[in-house]
Amino acid sequence: MNVKEIFDSMDYGPAPESAAEALAWLVDQGSRFGQFIDGAFTAPGNGFDSHNPATGEVLATVSQATQADVDAAVAAARKAQPAWARLGGPGRARHLYAIARLLQKHARLLAVLETLDNGKPIRESRDIDVPLAQRHFYYHAGMAQLMEEALPGRAALGVCGQIIPWNFPLLMLAWKIAPALAMGHTVVLKPAEYTSLTALLFADLCRQAGLPKGVVNIVTGDGAVGEMIVGAEIDKIAFTGSTEVGRRIRAATAGTGKALTLELGGKSPYIVFDDADLDSAIEGLVDAIWFNQGQVCCAGSRLLVQEGIAETFYSRLRARMDKLRVGDPLDKCIDIGAVVDPVQLQAIGAMVAENSAGETYRAEVGLPETGCFYPPTLITGMAPSDRLMQEEILGPVLVSCTFRTPAEAVQLANNSRYGLAATVWTENVNLALDIAPKLAAGVVWVNATNLFDAAAGFGGVRESGFGREGGWEGLAAYTQPVTKTRPLPPIAPLTGSGGPADPLDRTAKLYIGGKQARPDGGYSRPVWGKSGALLGQVGLGNRKDIRNAVEAAQAAAGWAKTTGHLRAQILYYIAENLSARAAEFARRLDAMQGGRQGDKEVAAAIQRLFTYAAWADKYDGQVKGVPLRGVALAMKEPVGVIGALCPDEAPLLGLVSVIAPAIAMGNRVVAVASEPFPLAATDFYQVLDTSDLPGGVVNILTGSHAELAPVLAAHLDVDAVWSFSSTDLSAEIEGASAGNLKRTWVNYRRARDWAVNDSGEWLAQATETKTIWVPYGE
């Protein structure tokens, strides 16, 4: 084709990127790789071939790590960690800056190798993946520099095991390794079996950067290697991958004390309102679903279009699909490259073939004769319950249905077990900022999609996992308070044989939905005082009572929409009413526990209520400094329904310490009172009754922690479980929480000084961070 013909047809000619240097690097390594352990590559062992998915050609042979390899990597990381932490933030920052500069110097080599190994278009590897990886190391080098000043009293957890997926091999590596190293951890990282080559190149760059031996260790292999890392003696697991595997990791780590961050799957809604700039929305949709062949956990794979513009939008979208270019990923003119592996290609095809709903349109584009290519596909007329509207496909397949009103759009968007990301497209900024907070998603893009930056936290809710990566909030999972704790011995209810302390019968009921309720089982137990006197009876809650309390909490969802100012006033009112009855509560505490410390506990509880009343309208988000014309708003949102097992040893102060921060941030609570000393809690709900707190915001049960904890943890409408019980329940709670991957905060039978309050820790546990991206300008 000559120049005149090109101008006549306006067809794109080929613009191939040379793979020569990347292939030469592989040859220089012998095209065979061992493990990277303690600063050196081991001899290659038995393994598997890494293929170019666009051609099927073998790029290199990668070794399958053995248990001995994983043990050696963990041992090297453990040995190196104390010295790496002692190096200090500024010392670690210099190493991270060195890595960032090497990523820049070798940017083209990394981009080409990523495209060869993964199949994504070179322009995406070159312009998105590699620059973002550099940005994460630069950003977290700054975090390391500032750590001692900005995060006083915080320290590294120790050794991190990190497992990353195949869709963004280098970028996910940077997301994991950069913050871990910045905060003083050492790491053992496993790249995906399909895409290990850029991780191995990164290992080579670590050597060039002079990184101390053992700080970064990379082991390769299939899922069995990931299981070895999860089971190893390490302090934290950071996993990005499927929800199914994330659930298994949650169950496997239950009770081990390992910190856990899970960034899992998604089925993200892409909402187009009738006032949207349709051409821009379509271009955004191209990036949302056909970026990286749709192999993106936050891909806008669920299109929701307002009914009045649906046919026009679909018509324009089909025309745009027909112009997408599918082919050799090393061609800079290509829009869609190759699916990562024949196994994934087959899975995509099978899911679409099994679908019998809607109308399927495949773009009229040519596909290469060889390689793992799948055409851009649109399926319209879907029902919200159809499998493809609910299940992650991880391929270039877009499914769609329509809506009529903004309220229906929110309802459809939230009709998913996932909650990773969402996109809102409208020219009405008021509508956009009204809809964004209502969406169950960790990230919301307004008139844009797939915007990422190291300064802005990324992560999901629901079955899209928990924890954030990036920004200040991303560091929360990579640090811990520098405090010493002691074991918490079990505290059993007291026994006695004396007569009742009060001749009037006092059988305290449960408190559900703002009302006193008899326990479903009809059973109660005596509460004896330290002197042996019978202080009263309390109901024994059961599974049905938990269900009733959770239903009441769900019905009180409007509490999350109230203002911080209103919540503060109610908390102040609770504190005032408790203060008016301080002497009564102090006597009750002394009677239950013995001694004369009740007045101090009541005073501390009142002070705590005032503290969280003060925080209710002051614990707010941030505007992130991201490199674009726009802002990324980090908004603090309530977690939802929190089930809490209150501390046994501090019956009133512990109860207040749990309830106050939770409701200050807009959560609803199902609290199980101190098991040995429950009467402080049953007296406290009388204070709630007189303090204008809406029914269902706080629900208080009494009974056996051991019996009620697994029910709370397994309940699918509970969003988080906290446990400070003296009964050893941490493993059971974490294991049961895997059902819907709810957040957990458990004590592992370690004592807490309830007289000391760390507001930052409590408020962070009581909130989720939602990142809302709002670009601006013409």
Side-chain angles (χ1 to χ4, degrees):
M1 180 179 291
N2 58 40
V3 173
K4 181 179 182 303
E5 290 171 334
I6 291 174
F7 276 103
D8 287 341
S9 67
M10 294 302 291
D11 287 338
Y12 281 87
E17 175 72 41
S18 172
E21 289 196 16
L23 295 174
W25 180 82
L26 292 171
V27 171
D28 288 344
Q29 311 305 309
S31 298
R32 293 180 62 84
F33 292 89
Q35 315 301 326
F36 185 72
I37 299 172
D38 202 21
F41 283 101
T42 65
N46 295 328
F48 48 90
D49 292 335
S50 184
H51 295 87
N52 180 344
T55 63
E57 296 174 352
V58 175
L59 297 170
T61 300
V62 180
S63 297
Q64 171 77 12
T66 64
Q67 184 66 61
D69 291 326
V70 172
D71 292 345
V74 172
R78 182 68 66 191
K79 180 180 178 181
Q81 197 275 326
W84 179 246
R86 286 195 303 269
L87 190 60
R92 295 192 298 272
R94 295 184 67 179
H95 286 285
L96 268 70
Y97 279 125
I99 293 172
R101 292 192 183 282
L102 283 168
L103 290 176
Q104 287 182 314
K105 291 176 183 177
H106 298 281
R108 189 53 63 95
L109 173 61
L110 287 159
V112 173
L113 188 61
E114 191 83 319
T115 289
L116 286 171
D117 202 22
N118 173 271
K120 64 177 63 186
I122 183 63
R123 63 184 183 85
E124 293 178 9
S125 300
R126 180 195 64 199
D127 299 340
I128 299 173
D129 293 40
V130 174
L132 269 175
Q134 298 162 4
R135 164 75 171 149
H136 271 269
F137 277 96
Y138 274 120
Y139 178 84
H140 285 99
M143 286 293 197
Q145 184 76 27
L146 298 175
M147 179 184 178
E148 291 157 18
E149 174 185 348
L151 298 171
R154 307 288 294 186
L157 295 153
V159 176
C160 292
Q162 303 179 321
I163 304 167
I164 60 174
W166 42 259
N167 50 357
F168 293 91
L170 182 66
L171 181 55
M172 291 295 102
L173 176 149
W175 280 24
K176 295 287 189 291
I177 289 182
L181 265 55
M183 296 297 103
H185 301 81
T186 53
V187 303
V188 177
L189 178 134
K190 189 196 90 68
E193 179 182 2
Y194 297 150
T195 54
S196 302
L197 299 185
T198 47
L200 296 167
L201 174 53
F202 176 82
D204 194 31
L205 296 182
C206 287
R207 292 194 300 186
Q208 295 180 37
L211 197 68
K213 295 179 179 179
V215 172
V216 169
N217 305 271
I218 295 177
V219 292
T220 55
D222 58 18
V225 180
E227 293 179 12
M228 295 175 197
I229 292 175
V230 170
E233 292 296 321
I234 54 179
D235 304 294
K236 174 181 171 57
I237 298 291
F239 172 77
T240 297
S242 72
T243 295
E244 177 187 355
V245 175
R247 188 176 285 114
R248 284 162 42 199
I249 291 174
R250 168 71 285 180
T253 57
T256 64
K258 294 174 183 175
L260 187 60
T261 301
L262 298 176
E263 195 264 282
L264 307 176
K267 192 69 180 178
S268 301
Y270 189 99
I271 307 170
V272 182
F273 287 96
D274 56 9
D275 67 341
D277 178 338
L278 297 192
D279 290 332
S280 295
I282 287 171
E283 288 306 308
L285 188 54
V286 169
D287 285 336
I289 182 59
W290 292 302
F291 170 60
N292 196 20
Q293 299 72 253
Q295 300 170 128
V296 184
C297 53
C298 57
S301 57
R302 198 160 42 108
L303 172 62
L304 309 177
V305 185
Q306 198 152 15
E307 193 172 273
I309 60 167
E311 288 309 315
T312 299
F313 189 85
Y314 290 147
S315 177
R316 294 191 192 183
L317 178 58
R318 293 185 188 104
R320 181 67 180 91
M321 289 169 62
D322 290 342
K323 291 181 173 61
L324 293 173
R325 299 175 298 278
V326 182
D328 180 7
L330 285 174
D331 187 340
K332 302 181 190 70
C333 296
I334 289 300
D335 296 307
I336 300 177
V339 173
V340 70
D341 190 84
V343 172
Q344 182 62 20
L345 182 66
Q346 183 178 5
I348 297 167
M351 288 188 73
V352 174
E354 291 167 5
N355 174 62
S356 58
E359 179 182 344
T360 300
Y361 180 80
R362 290 181 174 81
E364 295 180 359
V365 295
L367 299 181
E369 295 181 359
T370 60
C372 301
F373 294 92
Y374 196 90
T377 301
L378 169 66
I379 307 176
T380 56
M382 303 289 282
S385 59
D386 288 334
R387 183 190 175 204
L388 294 189
M389 287 288 286
Q390 293 292 326
E391 296 296 328
E392 190 174 32
I393 301 173
L394 273 181
V397 180
L398 177 65
V399 296
S400 180
C401 67
T402 61
F403 66 89
R404 293 183 179 180
T405 65
E408 186 182 7
V410 171
Q411 187 177 35
L412 289 171
N414 291 342
N415 181 22
S416 170
R417 60 194 177 97
Y418 297 110
L420 188 53
T423 298
V424 177
W425 214 282
T426 173
E427 291 296 283
N428 185 344
V429 68
N430 292 324
L431 176 61
L433 296 179
D434 176 55
I435 294 295
K438 298 176 182 177
L439 298 174
V443 180
V444 178
W445 294 294
V446 175
N447 292 341
T449 192
N450 283 336
L451 299 178
F452 308 100
D453 187 65
F458 181 87
V461 297
R462 295 179 171 178
E463 293 190 25
S464 290
F466 48 79
R468 294 293 180 266
E469 297 188 275
W472 289 104
E473 55 270 35
L475 296 182
Y478 283 102
T479 60
Q480 62 181 344
V482 183
T483 56
K484 293 183 179 180
T485 60
R486 55 182 175 79
L488 176 62
I491 304 174
L494 300 174
T495 59
S497 58
D502 188 336
L504 292 175
D505 175 64
R506 296 191 65 174
T507 302
K509 299 181 178 67
L510 312 181
Y511 188 66
I512 298 174
K515 300 176 182 178
Q516 298 183 37
R518 290 184 174 87
D520 173 72
Y523 289 97
S524 60
R525 74 164 179 85
V527 179
W528 302 94
K530 188 73 172 178
S531 65
L534 179 64
L535 301 181
Q537 306 274 339
V538 292
L540 293 177
N542 65 12
R543 178 182 297 270
K544 178 65 163 56
D545 297 312
I546 291 284
R547 189 175 76 183
N548 292 343
V550 173
E551 287 178 357
Q554 289 286 355
W559 179 249
K561 301 175 184 177
T562 59
T563 64
H565 175 64
L566 175 62
R567 296 195 295 270
Q569 290 184 76
I570 290 175
L571 279 161
Y572 282 129
Y573 198 10
I574 295 171
E576 291 167 1
N577 286 334
L578 178 58
S579 180
R581 297 176 58 181
E584 175 191 343
F585 273 85
R587 287 194 298 271
R588 172 71 86 181
L589 292 170
D590 289 342
M592 285 191 297
Q593 298 176 291
R596 297 181 180 275
Q597 299 296 313
D599 56 343
K600 293 182 179 179
E601 184 170 342
V602 175
I606 294 169
Q607 189 67 25
R608 198 130 307 165
L609 285 164
F610 275 112
T611 295
Y612 287 109
W615 274 117
D617 58 356
K618 299 174 184 66
Y619 187 68
D620 47 23
Q622 295 177 312
V623 177
K624 303 290 188 173
V626 292
L628 84 161
R629 292 192 65 202
V631 293
L633 308 174
M635 308 292 290
K636 301 295 185 182
E637 295 188 335
V639 173
V641 175
I642 297 175
L645 296 153
C646 297
D648 293 324
E649 68 274 25
L652 178 64
L653 178 57
L655 175 79
V656 168
S657 297
V658 166
I659 289 174
I663 66 175
M665 295 297 102
N667 299 284
R668 292 89 71 203
V669 180
V670 177
V672 182
S674 166
E675 188 171 345
F677 311 119
L679 295 180
T682 57
D683 289 348
F684 185 73
Y685 65 58
Q686 299 168 12
V687 174
L688 300 181
D689 272 338
T690 59
S691 303
D692 294 341
L693 186 71
V697 173
V698 172
N699 306 272
I700 298 175
L701 308 181
T702 53
S704 167
H705 286 190
E707 292 180 11
L708 298 179
V711 182
L712 264 179
H715 201 299
L716 297 182
D717 284 335
V718 173
D719 301 293
V721 174
W722 300 350
S723 176
F724 307 100
S725 174
S726 67
T727 304
D728 191 5
L729 299 170
S730 299
E732 193 165 9
I733 289 170
E734 289 183 332
S737 74
N740 68 342
L741 290 165
K742 60 175 64 69
R743 287 171 54 174
T744 60
W745 186 21
V746 295
N747 63 354
Y748 299 108
R749 285 278 304 280
R750 306 297 295 180
R752 175 181 286 266
D753 185 353
W754 293 100
V756 177
N757 184 49
D758 182 351
S759 296
E761 181 182 23
W762 286 90
L763 295 171
Q765 290 289 347
T767 54
E768 295 279 11
T769 299
K770 174 181 284 183
T771 303
I772 303 176
W773 291 77
V774 187
Y776 52 71
E778 293 294 330

